[in-house]
Amino acid sequence: MNWTRTPLLAMAFTAAVASYAWAAGGPPGHSHGDHKTELPFGEPGDPKKPARPVSIVMTDGDGKMSFIPSVIEVKQGDQIKFMLRNNGISDHEIVLATLEMNLEHAKEMAKNPDMEHDDPNAKRLAPKKTGEILWRFTKVGEFDFSCLIPGHREAGMTGKIIVKPATAAK
């Protein structure tokens, strides 16, 4: 082996591992399992604290897919318990993120359509099944939720979360 190339090989290997980690698990700082990391769109909720319930229904039919409702307004600091129901005939998922993150993740899903999520901001549901996501919105802004199963977002399965500043108590 030519040892003068070893640093170059090490850098290439590190870059390959980092690229795989991004593709397999999302961006740096991405939450997995029980890890609690604040992301640009908030952080996993605390089950010991109160949460406002918000129902989201996943539907499909006639080539159109959707979330009902498709726009949700919350206040900064709100902890939301998304109560999910798949009323469709296909598997669906919901992924909370920034629009940019979801569009990037959709590219990875196109390459790996059977990718399952083990993240506090995502849930995949079989037809007629229910699930929950507990999330705390710490940042003001507009955020995305989408079904990233290939073709679903393009068929209309996307929505927006508008996080408004918390108002001062009177």
Side-chain angles (χ1 to χ4, degrees), residues 51-56 69 72-74 80-84 133:
R52 178 168 62 101
V54 172
S55 295
I56 297 179
I72 299 166
E73 291 187 7
V74 302
I80 305 296
K81 182 179 195 176
F82 292 102
M83 300 167 66
L84 312 169
I133 292 177

Side-chain angles (χ1 to χ4, degrees), residues 27-31 37-44 101 121 135 138-139:
H30 195 63
S31 293
T37 303
E38 187 170 347
L39 296 164
F41 52 96
E43 64 188 15
M101 291 169 81
N121 64 311
W135 197 259
T138 59
K139 311 276 186 187

Side-chain angles (χ1 to χ4, degrees), residues 28-130:
H30 195 63
S31 293
H32 282 282
D34 296 328
H35 302 282
K36 189 169 181 177
T37 303
E38 187 170 347
L39 296 164
F41 52 96
E43 64 188 15
D46 181 346
K48 296 176 185 162
K49 293 185 178 176
R52 178 168 62 101
V54 172
S55 295
I56 297 179
V57 177
M58 304 167 177
T59 65
D60 57 50
D62 297 328
K64 183 169 170 62
M65 299 182 179
S66 64
F67 290 109
I68 302 170
S70 62
V71 178
I72 299 166
E73 291 187 7
V74 302
K75 291 182 183 165
Q76 182 181 17
D78 278 358
Q79 179 164 282
I80 305 296
K81 182 179 195 176
F82 292 102
M83 300 167 66
L84 312 169
R85 176 165 183 77
N86 181 354
N87 279 353
I89 57 172
S90 301
D91 281 7
H92 292 297
E93 67 179 14
I94 183 170
V95 181
L96 305 174
T98 65
L99 177 59
E100 296 77 19
M101 291 169 81
N102 268 349
L103 291 175
E104 187 65 32
H105 193 74
K107 292 176 188 174
E108 296 304 321
M109 288 290 293
K111 296 175 191 172
N112 303 294
D114 296 325
M115 183 188 308
E116 294 277 338
H117 297 98
D118 182 24
D119 301 304
N121 64 311
K123 182 70 74 178
R124 188 172 188 145
L125 295 174
K128 310 304 179 210
K129 297 296 180 184
T130 61

Side-chain angles (χ1 to χ4, degrees), residues 158-170:
T158 185
K160 185 186 315 186
I161 298 172
I162 301 167
V163 182
K164 296 183 173 187
T167 57
K170 294 183 180 180

